[in-house]
């Protein structure tokens, strides 16, 4: 059991006194504090006999007074506005400070469609990540938002070359392909980090994202892909796959690690 499942049981009035709930509560002071503060919940286990000590609960409550916790207490519209601002700040900075040099010859309609696709992927993942905890959880929404971001990133890299009308767009296809690809991978990963931090900081369950870690990973990868797209003029699909699609790697590995930790804790 994880935080999401325990909350669903509480919201539905189900039994929260089973062995799986007790095992989760032993390692989650936040959930134990929630149940201890609401004694009217059905068969809510008290934090005794192997559960978290009162000192642990006091420490968990004290952490709620820290800046990160206060930010998570903001209203959902405010958190969403800040999260989206953090997500678009990097791509916008790239456009203003270091735009791709082939913008003058890049097909305008294609550029508009591609930018809108990336924006939709980023916005969808941010909305799912920062949704209110009291709303019913639908895992399909997390999967859909993550799949949309991945499809957009893969789709843009799979399109034919946009043009062959700028010298900077024609490099990186020969022996130097891995050097250029590595540069874009590093650049895109760095572009996605602010969004990753902001979404984890603003998500109400940011310390225990559970299944929604995949959405945070997809959002940060989409931001990284957007930053790289707006900076790198190379249009070869091989380069796009090696240097732009690979921004999915580190966020994906992180989400995989979170999922494994979740499964391991549920077995205890």
């Amino acid at each position: 059991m994880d935080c999401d499942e325990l909350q669903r049981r509480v919201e539905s009035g189900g039994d929260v006194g089973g062995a799986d709930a007790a095992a989760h509560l032993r390692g989650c002071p936040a959930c134990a504090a929630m149940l201890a503060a609401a004694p009217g919940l059905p068969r809510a286990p008290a934090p005794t006999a192997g559960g978290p000590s009162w000192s642990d609960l006091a420490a968990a409550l004290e952490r709620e007074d820290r800046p990160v916790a206060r930010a998570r207490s903001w209203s959902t519209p405010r958190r969403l506005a800040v999260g989206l601002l953090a997500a678009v700040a990097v791509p916008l900075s790239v456009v203003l400070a270091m735009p791709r040099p082939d913008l003058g010859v890049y097909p305008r309609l294609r550029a508009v469609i591609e930018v809108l696709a990336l924006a939709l992927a980023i916005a969808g993942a941010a909305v799912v990540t920062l949704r209110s905890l009291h709303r019913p959880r639908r895992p399909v929404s997390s999967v859909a938002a993550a799949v949309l971001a991945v499809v957009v990133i893969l789709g843009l890299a799979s399109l034919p070359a946009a043009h062959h009308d700028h010298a900077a767009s024609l490099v990186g296809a020969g022996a130097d392909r891995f050097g250029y690809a590595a540069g874009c991978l590093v650049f895109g990963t760095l572009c996605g980090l602010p969004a990753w931090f902001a979404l984890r900081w603003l998500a109400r369950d940011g310390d225990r994202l559970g299944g929604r870690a995949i959405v945070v990973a997809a959002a940060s990868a989409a931001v990284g892909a957007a930053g790289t797209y707006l900076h790198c003029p190379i249009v070869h699909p091989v380069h796009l796959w090696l240097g732009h699609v690979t921004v999915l790697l580190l966020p994906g590995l992180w989400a995989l690690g979170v999922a494994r930790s979740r499964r391991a804790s549920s077995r205890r």
Side-chain angles (χ1 to χ4, degrees), residues 67-196:
V68 170
R70 289 198 294 270
R72 289 172 181 167
S73 69
W74 291 344
S75 67
T76 295
R78 184 179 180 185
R79 289 185 302 112
L80 186 56
V82 174
L84 289 175
L85 179 61
V88 302
V90 171
L92 183 59
S93 299
V94 170
V95 169
L96 295 177
M98 52 183 75
R100 56 188 301 160
D102 65 333
L103 286 177
V105 297
Y106 201 94
R108 296 293 176 86
L109 179 60
R110 174 166 171 169
V112 169
I113 294 174
E114 291 172 344
V115 169
L116 287 178
L118 287 166
L120 179 61
I122 294 169
V127 168
V128 171
T129 300
L130 301 179
R131 66 185 301 174
S132 301
L133 286 178
H134 71 272
R135 296 178 60 188
R137 296 295 179 84
R138 296 182 176 87
V140 66
S141 62
S142 297
V143 174
V147 169
L148 174 62
V150 173
V151 167
V152 168
I153 294 172
L154 297 182
L156 296 186
S158 302
L159 294 174
H163 65 87
H164 298 90
D165 300 325
H166 197 285
S169 301
L170 305 179
V171 301
D176 56 354
R177 69 180 61 181
F178 294 107
Y180 280 99
C184 283
L185 170 59
V186 172
F187 183 82
T189 300
L190 293 176
C191 286
L193 279 179
W196 182 81

Side-chain angles (χ1 to χ4, degrees), residues 224-241:
T228 307
Y229 169 83
L230 294 169
H231 171 69
C232 173
I234 302 176
V235 296
H236 299 296
V238 171
H239 169 80
L240 298 181
W241 273 88

Side-chain angles (χ1 to χ4, degrees), residues 216-262:
V216 175
S220 61
V223 172
T228 307
Y229 169 83
L230 294 169
H231 171 69
C232 173
I234 302 176
V235 296
H236 299 296
V238 171
H239 169 80
L240 298 181
W241 273 88
L242 291 176
H244 296 205
V245 170
T246 48
V247 298
L248 289 163
L249 287 178
L250 287 183
L253 290 174
W254 169 76
L256 180 61
V258 171
R260 288 183 175 178
S261 298
R262 179 187 179 190

